[in-house]
Amino acid sequence: MKILVTGGLGFIGSETAISLIKAGHTPIIVDNLYNAKASVVNRIEAITGVRPEFHQIDVCDKEKLDELFSQTKVEAVIHFAGYKAVGESVSKPLMYYRNNLDSTLSLLECMLKHDVKNIIFSSSATIYGSPDSVPLRETSPRKEATNPYGQTKVIIEKILEDVSKVNEGFHAVLLRYFNPIGAHPSGLLGEDPNGIPNNLMPYISQVSIGKLPKLRVFGDDYKTVDGTGVRDYIHVLDLAEGHVAALKALDKDPGVYIYNLGTGRGTSVLELVKAFEEATGIKIPYEIAPRRAGDVDAVYANCDKAYEELGWKAKLSIKDACKDSYNFQKKNPNGIED
Ligand code: WQD
């Protein structure tokens, strides 16, 4: 299938493009390079032997997007493009609502104009808010998100449900990611955040190469195994394979399909630090710091539905992810160069 991949040079998008190529599909990558480097195209080619078609387009630019849809018969869209830094979204809500919603509305209008009725959306466990209970199932209530970034995911899920209702033959697959970590084993691709990392794994990775002095553990008084926050960390390669598996839902009856993409296991901050040290032999210095606003005790998934309906489940371990993250960071101490 010819598949338009918006945000396809990003951390998850680029790994998904690789999985699509390996499965015999043709990804057409669109990215505005706000949070990605053009050189990722070369790295995808180095890994797969295939140079994917890439267009530097902002998904909010309806004219350019319309032109692309006119030139190429796209069969499905995987929509990653969007700002994703939780903390930044709190300080810049308008930027997040404008970009993440505007891009999605422009994309959907272009899709429908060109009779493209298959979309796989990069959603997030953040739509569950502060869970009443864990593990989270797809039937767990979608809640008001605790930040504008998460709220854009809640709103976009609702937009896709409403669009699907009134457009015959429309398929929307909502993939709710838990905590993506890891990197491509080659060390050519990995998580490459701008500035100081917000997320735990890239922060630990930068500590491991001495780029940051030590890890601050945000709180050790949560109701968890060791008092530190528990999350469901999924290797980005497993997550990418989840998108290839999600294409199977496009063969089902039209409608909205929702899947949790996680491992089904919770890991605490200190357990992740220990796993990283065991996987790499590198000591990670840390100090206990105050809780971070908006954090919750424990979030992890029940992924039975993705296995039963798509035949997908995560295969790689936390240690695999730690090893791959360290390998990527060591080979790219200043991130992916242009
Ligand atoms: C994980 C744990 C922190 C950094 C966010 C988004 C979610 C998704 C993944 C996009 C928590 C602790 C972290 C640090 C720490 N992103 N931590 N020190 O907050 O679970 O999820 O990123 O879809 O939508 O909400 O991920 O990696 O920031 O935090 O102690 O320097 O690590 O308190 O318990 P989070 P995270």
Side-chain angles (χ1 to χ4, degrees):
M1 286 174 89
K2 264 196 182 179
I3 301 170
L4 183 73
V5 183
T6 74
L9 295 187
F11 173 41
I12 304 168
S14 55
E15 291 294 355
T16 301
I18 289 166
S19 292
L20 288 169
I21 290 167
K22 286 185 170 167
H25 297 292
T26 306
I28 297 159
I29 294 174
V30 160
D31 202 301
N32 67 359
L33 301 183
Y34 173 83
N35 197 14
K37 301 282 178 14
S39 58
V40 168
V41 178
N42 306 331
R43 294 179 180 220
I44 293 172
E45 182 180 15
I47 291 167
T48 63
V50 172
R51 187 172 186 80
E53 188 178 330
F54 163 57
H55 300 271
Q56 185 177 349
I57 293 175
D58 187 322
V59 181
C60 295
D61 184 338
K62 259 181 89 175
E63 228 173 276
K64 288 258 180 57
L65 210 52
D66 189 50
E67 222 174 280
L68 181 59
F69 274 94
S70 307
Q71 287 159 1
T72 313
K73 182 65 195 121
V74 169
E75 295 163 82
V77 177
I78 302 181
H79 182 34
F80 292 103
Y83 298 152
K84 63 165 188 173
V86 169
E88 185 184 53
S89 79
V90 174
S91 57
K92 299 177 182 170
L94 258 185
M95 184 178 119
Y96 271 69
Y97 284 116
R98 166 58 69 192
N99 182 69
N100 291 6
L101 300 182
D102 203 356
S103 54
T104 303
L105 295 171
S106 299
L107 175 65
L108 287 168
E109 285 169 348
C110 280
M111 284 175 66
L112 292 174
K113 178 182 170 190
H114 295 273
D115 202 29
V116 177
K117 294 186 171 180
N118 296 316
I119 184 167
I120 294 174
F121 174 56
S122 164
S123 190
S124 166
T126 203
I127 61 93
Y128 293 116
S130 173
D132 303 328
S133 66
V134 282
L136 284 156
R137 294 176 182 281
E138 290 80 359
T139 48
S140 300
R142 183 167 57 198
K143 289 188 179 174
E144 186 87 3
T146 56
N147 57 77
Y149 156 77
Q151 199 53 17
T152 65
K153 296 295 185 184
V154 170
I155 296 168
I156 294 168
E157 286 201 356
K158 286 185 183 158
I159 290 171
L160 291 171
E161 285 165 358
D162 290 343
V163 166
S164 167
K165 279 181 203 142
V166 295
N167 285 278
E168 215 180 303
F170 196 88
H171 290 81
V173 185
L174 315 181
L175 300 182
R176 292 172 177 171
Y177 310 157
F178 281 70
N179 287 57
I181 59 168
H184 192 271
S186 65
L188 287 171
L189 290 175
E191 194 166 6
D192 181 20
N194 294 329
I196 304 280
N198 295 301
N199 293 142
L200 181 60
M201 181 59 104
Y203 201 103
I204 289 175
S205 299
Q206 291 193 17
V207 170
S208 75
I209 63 165
K211 206 168 169 196
L212 291 167
K214 65 176 144 184
L215 170 70
R216 289 169 306 149
V217 176
F218 296 142
D220 66 347
D221 57 352
Y222 287 105
K223 290 194 260 344
T224 63
V225 59
D226 57 19
T228 64
V230 166
R231 297 292 185 273
D232 187 331
Y233 296 100
I234 174 169
H235 198 300
V236 65
L237 267 63
D238 279 327
L239 196 54
E241 287 302 309
H243 291 75
V244 177
L247 293 170
K248 294 189 186 103
L250 305 182
D251 297 328
K252 293 169 173 281
D253 292 343
V256 178
Y257 295 88
I258 301 177
Y259 300 100
N260 284 340
L261 295 188
T263 66
R265 286 184 307 282
T267 301
S268 77
V269 175
L270 293 182
E271 285 170 337
L272 190 65
V273 169
K274 184 163 178 285
F276 192 96
E277 292 178 336
E278 287 171 359
T280 64
I282 308 270
K283 189 92 186 94
I284 300 295
Y286 68 84
E287 66 182 9
I288 302 298
R291 287 185 173 197
R292 180 174 65 176
D295 276 348
V296 296
D297 301 67
V299 176
Y300 56 93
N302 174 298
C303 305
D304 293 348
K305 189 180 174 194
Y307 184 64
E308 285 151 17
E309 294 190 12
L310 307 174
W312 173 90
K313 68 176 178 177
K315 299 192 182 91
L316 297 168
S317 69
I318 292 277
K319 280 196 180 163
D320 292 326
C322 292
K323 192 164 53 58
D324 293 335
S325 283
Y326 175 59
N327 180 45
F328 169 74
Q329 196 70 71
K330 212 171 44 173
K331 292 183 173 165
N332 303 272
N334 299 312
I336 295 173
E337 312 285 348
D338 229 339

Short mmCIF file of all heavy atoms in Angstrom, two decimals, residues 84 86 124 126 147 149 178-180 198-201 203 215-218 229-231 233 269 292 295-296, ligand 1:
data_model
loop_
_atom_site.label_atom_id
_atom_site.label_comp_id
_atom_site.label_asym_id
_atom_site.label_seq_id
_atom_site.Cartn_x
_atom_site.Cartn_y
_atom_site.Cartn_z
N LYS A 84 4.68 17.66 20.75
CA LYS A 84 4.41 16.60 21.74
C LYS A 84 5.08 16.80 23.09
O LYS A 84 5.15 15.87 23.90
CB LYS A 84 4.85 15.26 21.16
CG LYS A 84 6.32 15.17 20.88
CD LYS A 84 6.75 13.73 20.66
CE LYS A 84 8.26 13.66 20.58
NZ LYS A 84 8.73 12.29 20.53
N VAL A 86 4.95 17.78 26.65
CA VAL A 86 3.89 18.05 27.63
C VAL A 86 4.12 19.39 28.34
O VAL A 86 3.25 20.26 28.37
CB VAL A 86 3.85 16.88 28.64
CG1 VAL A 86 2.97 17.21 29.82
CG2 VAL A 86 3.40 15.60 27.96
N SER A 124 -2.44 8.63 22.40
CA SER A 124 -1.55 8.49 23.56
C SER A 124 -2.32 8.07 24.80
O SER A 124 -3.49 8.43 24.96
CB SER A 124 -0.87 9.84 23.82
OG SER A 124 -0.26 9.86 25.09
N THR A 126 -2.13 9.26 27.40
CA THR A 126 -2.42 10.49 28.16
C THR A 126 -3.92 10.82 28.12
O THR A 126 -4.43 11.54 28.97
CB THR A 126 -1.56 11.65 27.62
OG1 THR A 126 -1.44 12.64 28.63
CG2 THR A 126 -2.09 12.22 26.36
N ASN A 147 -3.03 18.21 30.46
CA ASN A 147 -2.21 19.25 29.80
C ASN A 147 -2.72 19.45 28.38
O ASN A 147 -3.37 18.57 27.81
CB ASN A 147 -0.74 18.80 29.79
CG ASN A 147 -0.59 17.45 29.10
OD1 ASN A 147 -0.62 17.36 27.88
ND2 ASN A 147 -0.49 16.38 29.89
N TYR A 149 -1.30 19.38 25.52
CA TYR A 149 -0.84 18.35 24.54
C TYR A 149 -1.79 17.17 24.57
O TYR A 149 -2.34 16.76 23.54
CB TYR A 149 0.59 17.89 24.86
CG TYR A 149 0.87 16.52 24.31
CD1 TYR A 149 1.14 16.34 22.96
CD2 TYR A 149 0.79 15.39 25.14
CE1 TYR A 149 1.34 15.07 22.44
CE2 TYR A 149 1.00 14.13 24.62
CZ TYR A 149 1.26 13.97 23.28
OH TYR A 149 1.44 12.70 22.77
N PHE A 178 1.78 3.96 25.01
CA PHE A 178 2.15 4.21 26.39
C PHE A 178 3.48 4.96 26.37
O PHE A 178 3.53 6.06 25.77
CB PHE A 178 2.05 2.90 27.19
CG PHE A 178 0.59 2.65 27.51
CD1 PHE A 178 -0.31 2.31 26.50
CD2 PHE A 178 0.09 2.86 28.79
CE1 PHE A 178 -1.68 2.16 26.77
CE2 PHE A 178 -1.27 2.70 29.06
CZ PHE A 178 -2.14 2.37 28.06
N ASN A 179 4.55 4.46 26.92
CA ASN A 179 5.79 5.27 26.93
C ASN A 179 6.83 4.73 25.96
O ASN A 179 7.54 3.78 26.30
CB ASN A 179 6.34 5.34 28.35
CG ASN A 179 5.48 6.24 29.22
OD1 ASN A 179 4.27 6.01 29.35
ND2 ASN A 179 6.09 7.27 29.79
N PRO A 180 6.94 5.32 24.77
CA PRO A 180 7.91 4.82 23.79
C PRO A 180 9.33 5.09 24.25
O PRO A 180 9.65 6.21 24.66
CB PRO A 180 7.59 5.63 22.52
CG PRO A 180 6.30 6.33 22.80
CD PRO A 180 6.18 6.47 24.28
N ASN A 198 12.54 16.10 28.45
CA ASN A 198 11.50 16.01 29.48
C ASN A 198 11.32 14.57 29.93
O ASN A 198 11.07 14.29 31.08
CB ASN A 198 10.12 16.48 28.92
CG ASN A 198 10.14 17.95 28.56
OD1 ASN A 198 10.41 18.78 29.41
ND2 ASN A 198 9.90 18.27 27.30
N ASN A 199 11.43 13.66 28.94
CA ASN A 199 11.11 12.26 29.21
C ASN A 199 12.29 11.52 29.87
O ASN A 199 13.46 11.87 29.69
CB ASN A 199 10.71 11.54 27.92
CG ASN A 199 9.39 12.06 27.35
OD1 ASN A 199 9.23 12.17 26.16
ND2 ASN A 199 8.43 12.38 28.21
N LEU A 200 11.94 10.49 30.60
CA LEU A 200 12.90 9.78 31.45
C LEU A 200 14.04 9.12 30.68
O LEU A 200 15.22 9.36 30.99
CB LEU A 200 12.17 8.71 32.27
CG LEU A 200 13.04 7.89 33.23
CD1 LEU A 200 13.73 8.78 34.26
CD2 LEU A 200 12.20 6.81 33.93
N MET A 201 13.72 8.36 29.64
CA MET A 201 14.78 7.57 28.99
C MET A 201 15.82 8.46 28.28
O MET A 201 17.04 8.25 28.47
CB MET A 201 14.20 6.55 28.02
CG MET A 201 15.24 5.70 27.34
SD MET A 201 16.24 4.76 28.52
CE MET A 201 15.50 3.16 28.27
N TYR A 203 16.65 11.34 29.08
CA TYR A 203 17.39 12.02 30.16
C TYR A 203 18.47 11.08 30.71
O TYR A 203 19.66 11.43 30.81
CB TYR A 203 16.45 12.49 31.28
CG TYR A 203 17.05 13.60 32.12
CD1 TYR A 203 16.63 14.92 31.95
CD2 TYR A 203 18.05 13.34 33.05
CE1 TYR A 203 17.20 15.95 32.69
CE2 TYR A 203 18.62 14.36 33.80
CZ TYR A 203 18.20 15.66 33.61
OH TYR A 203 18.76 16.69 34.33
N LEU A 215 20.48 12.20 37.24
CA LEU A 215 19.03 12.14 37.05
C LEU A 215 18.33 12.64 38.31
O LEU A 215 18.76 12.34 39.42
CB LEU A 215 18.61 10.68 36.80
CG LEU A 215 17.08 10.41 36.82
CD1 LEU A 215 16.42 11.04 35.58
CD2 LEU A 215 16.81 8.92 36.86
N ARG A 216 17.30 13.45 38.15
CA ARG A 216 16.43 13.79 39.29
C ARG A 216 15.22 12.88 39.20
O ARG A 216 14.54 12.84 38.16
CB ARG A 216 16.00 15.26 39.19
CG ARG A 216 17.12 16.27 39.48
CD ARG A 216 16.68 17.66 39.09
NE ARG A 216 16.21 17.66 37.70
CZ ARG A 216 15.26 18.49 37.24
NH1 ARG A 216 14.67 19.34 38.05
NH2 ARG A 216 14.89 18.44 35.97
N VAL A 217 14.99 12.13 40.28
CA VAL A 217 13.83 11.23 40.32
C VAL A 217 12.67 12.02 40.92
O VAL A 217 12.74 12.42 42.09
CB VAL A 217 14.15 9.98 41.17
CG1 VAL A 217 12.91 9.10 41.28
CG2 VAL A 217 15.32 9.22 40.56
N PHE A 218 11.65 12.27 40.11
CA PHE A 218 10.56 13.15 40.57
C PHE A 218 9.61 12.42 41.51
O PHE A 218 8.55 11.93 41.12
CB PHE A 218 9.78 13.68 39.35
CG PHE A 218 10.57 14.54 38.43
CD1 PHE A 218 10.40 14.46 37.06
CD2 PHE A 218 11.52 15.46 38.92
CE1 PHE A 218 11.13 15.26 36.18
CE2 PHE A 218 12.26 16.25 38.05
CZ PHE A 218 12.06 16.16 36.68
N GLY A 229 7.45 6.66 40.23
CA GLY A 229 6.38 6.53 39.22
C GLY A 229 6.53 5.27 38.37
O GLY A 229 7.64 4.92 37.97
N VAL A 230 5.41 4.63 38.09
CA VAL A 230 5.39 3.41 37.27
C VAL A 230 4.73 3.72 35.93
O VAL A 230 3.66 4.34 35.87
CB VAL A 230 4.62 2.29 38.01
CG1 VAL A 230 4.28 1.13 37.07
CG2 VAL A 230 5.44 1.78 39.19
N ARG A 231 5.41 3.29 34.84
CA ARG A 231 4.88 3.49 33.49
C ARG A 231 5.06 2.23 32.65
O ARG A 231 5.82 1.33 33.05
CB ARG A 231 5.64 4.65 32.79
CG ARG A 231 5.50 6.01 33.47
CD ARG A 231 4.10 6.56 33.37
NE ARG A 231 3.98 7.90 33.92
CZ ARG A 231 3.73 8.19 35.19
NH1 ARG A 231 3.63 7.18 36.06
NH2 ARG A 231 3.62 9.43 35.61
N TYR A 233 6.72 1.04 29.55
CA TYR A 233 7.72 1.46 28.56
C TYR A 233 7.77 0.44 27.43
O TYR A 233 8.05 -0.72 27.64
CB TYR A 233 9.09 1.58 29.24
CG TYR A 233 9.14 2.67 30.29
CD1 TYR A 233 9.04 2.36 31.64
CD2 TYR A 233 9.24 4.00 29.93
CE1 TYR A 233 9.04 3.35 32.61
CE2 TYR A 233 9.25 5.00 30.90
CZ TYR A 233 9.15 4.67 32.23
OH TYR A 233 9.15 5.67 33.19
N VAL A 269 10.57 4.11 38.00
CA VAL A 269 11.73 4.90 37.60
C VAL A 269 13.02 4.20 38.04
O VAL A 269 13.95 3.99 37.26
CB VAL A 269 11.67 6.32 38.19
CG1 VAL A 269 12.94 7.10 37.86
CG2 VAL A 269 10.42 7.06 37.69
N ARG A 292 6.75 15.92 40.16
CA ARG A 292 6.53 16.82 39.02
C ARG A 292 5.02 17.01 38.86
O ARG A 292 4.26 16.03 38.91
CB ARG A 292 7.11 16.20 37.74
CG ARG A 292 6.98 17.01 36.49
CD ARG A 292 7.71 16.37 35.31
NE ARG A 292 7.08 15.07 34.97
CZ ARG A 292 7.49 14.35 33.91
NH1 ARG A 292 8.49 14.75 33.15
NH2 ARG A 292 6.89 13.20 33.63
N ASP A 295 2.07 14.50 37.28
CA ASP A 295 2.43 13.07 37.26
C ASP A 295 1.44 12.26 38.09
O ASP A 295 0.90 12.77 39.08
CB ASP A 295 3.84 12.87 37.84
CG ASP A 295 4.91 13.10 36.78
OD1 ASP A 295 4.53 13.18 35.58
OD2 ASP A 295 6.08 13.21 37.11
N VAL A 296 1.25 11.01 37.69
CA VAL A 296 0.38 10.11 38.46
C VAL A 296 1.20 8.92 38.93
O VAL A 296 2.32 8.71 38.47
CB VAL A 296 -0.82 9.63 37.59
CG1 VAL A 296 -1.71 10.80 37.20
CG2 VAL A 296 -0.32 8.91 36.34
C1 WQD B 1 8.05 8.90 33.14
C2 WQD B 1 8.33 8.75 34.63
C3 WQD B 1 8.28 10.83 35.83
C4 WQD B 1 11.84 12.51 33.86
C5 WQD B 1 4.88 11.56 28.79
C6 WQD B 1 3.64 12.07 28.12
C7 WQD B 1 3.03 10.96 27.29
C8 WQD B 1 4.05 10.41 26.35
C9 WQD B 1 5.30 9.94 27.08
C10 WQD B 1 3.75 11.46 24.21
C11 WQD B 1 7.41 9.61 35.50
C12 WQD B 1 9.68 10.21 35.86
C13 WQD B 1 10.79 11.66 34.22
C14 WQD B 1 12.86 12.80 34.81
C15 WQD B 1 11.76 11.40 36.42
N1 WQD B 1 4.42 11.36 25.37
N2 WQD B 1 10.76 11.13 35.48
N3 WQD B 1 12.78 12.23 36.06
O1 WQD B 1 5.16 11.72 31.85
O2 WQD B 1 4.80 9.19 31.74
O3 WQD B 1 4.53 10.52 29.68
O4 WQD B 1 5.78 11.07 27.83
O5 WQD B 1 2.81 10.83 23.83
O6 WQD B 1 1.97 11.52 26.57
O7 WQD B 1 2.71 12.41 29.13
O8 WQD B 1 6.79 10.20 30.62
O9 WQD B 1 9.24 9.99 30.61
O10 WQD B 1 8.21 12.23 31.25
O11 WQD B 1 8.04 10.29 32.83
O12 WQD B 1 11.71 10.92 37.57
O13 WQD B 1 13.85 13.57 34.55
O14 WQD B 1 9.66 9.18 34.89
O15 WQD B 1 7.96 11.39 37.10
O16 WQD B 1 7.13 8.89 36.70
P1 WQD B 1 5.28 10.43 31.10
P2 WQD B 1 8.14 10.73 31.29
#
